[in-house]
């Protein structure tokens, strides 16, 4: 299986690139943010619980997020691999994912981390807020909190994969196609190395 963690701060372009990568490599895209938003839209219990955290730009508790992610993986028993987008966002989530995948006889192949400056992120998020109507993208205070949460709780997840030699930084500045080429190149290199 080819299991990729697509990593990077909010606004780095993970969702856009994940959509292109899944069709090239025949993978399943699991975005925890998208799943939460679908639950909010569908007014499920999970959506109600997640909404207050998301609206403030805070993380939904690990226990809830891990359970949801594992259920989504289990919905795709024939997948050739996954792109995890927006997950794991904490070290306990990374540990839980490792244990869960190990139980299925697989593991994370590589973490690809999109590298984008903070200034560029804020610009992109505000633009996206206008186009997508996402409340957490339209408010500068919430954006600032999401970047703070990323720096304080999520950035460290890179170390988890780095010590396993699975971490790879990708320049996230450029056109969508340029960044896609960089990501594809890293995946192709990984594939020839195994
Ligand atoms: P995203 O679409 O990835 O930017 O996620 C939007 C929001 O969903 C985040 O700001 C969090 O509130 C929540 N969320 C998404 N993924 C996770 C996760 N792995 N752990 C906790 N909260 C998450």
């Amino acid at each position: 299986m080819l299991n990729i963690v697509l990593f990077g701060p909010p606004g780095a372009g993970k969702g856009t690139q994940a959509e292109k990568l899944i069709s090239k490599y025949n993978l399943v895209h699991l975005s925890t943010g998208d799943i939460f938003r679908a639950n909010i839209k569908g007014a499920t219990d999970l959506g109600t619980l997640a909404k207050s955290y998301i609206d403030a730009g805070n993380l939904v508790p690990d226990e809830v997020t891990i359970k949801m992610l594992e259920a989504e993986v289990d919905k795709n028993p024939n997948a050739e691999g996954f792109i995890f987008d927006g997950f794991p966002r904490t070290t306990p989530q990374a540990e839980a994912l490792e244990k869960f995948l190990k139980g299925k006889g697989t593991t994370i192949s590589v973490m690809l981390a999109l590298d984008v400056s903070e200034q560029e992120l804020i610009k992109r998020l505000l633009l996206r807020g206008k186009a997508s109507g996402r409340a957490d993208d339209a408010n500068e205070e919430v954006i600032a909190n999401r970047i703070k949460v990323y720096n304080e709780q999520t950035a460290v997840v890179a170390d988890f994969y780095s010590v396993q030699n699975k971490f790879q930084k990708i320049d996230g500045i450029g056109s969508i196609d340029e960044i896609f080429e960089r990501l594809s190149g890293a995946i192709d290199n990984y594939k020839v190395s195994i």
Side-chain angles (χ1 to χ4, degrees), residues 1-5 80-82 84 94 97-111 160-161 164 166 190 194:
M1 276 181 111
L2 180 64
N3 296 315
I4 297 167
V5 173
E80 289 179 27
F82 293 90
F84 297 100
L97 181 63
E98 173 146 294
K99 195 168 161 216
F100 178 70
L101 292 179
K102 204 172 172 194
K104 297 184 174 299
T106 186
T107 187
I108 291 298
S109 314
V110 64
M111 167 186 264
F160 184 89
Y161 294 99
Q164 299 183 27
K166 291 179 178 177
Y190 167 79
I194 51 166

Side-chain angles (χ1 to χ4, degrees), residues 32-33 37 54 58-60 65 86-87 89 93 134 146:
T32 39
R37 281 184 288 277
I54 293 177
N58 291 322
L59 296 184
V60 177
T65 308
F87 185 95
R89 253 177 162 98
Q93 290 183 14
R134 265 181 65 171
R146 285 161 67 204

Side-chain angles (χ1 to χ4, degrees), residues 90-130:
T90 63
T91 302
Q93 290 183 14
E95 287 165 353
L97 181 63
E98 173 146 294
K99 195 168 161 216
F100 178 70
L101 292 179
K102 204 172 172 194
K104 297 184 174 299
T106 186
T107 187
I108 291 298
S109 314
V110 64
M111 167 186 264
L112 301 174
L114 289 171
D115 188 30
V116 178
S117 73
E118 218 158 276
Q119 225 181 351
E120 174 72 15
L121 293 175
I122 295 170
K123 205 172 85 189
R124 286 188 192 176
L125 286 167
L126 285 170
L127 263 180
R128 189 169 78 182
K130 284 188 196 138

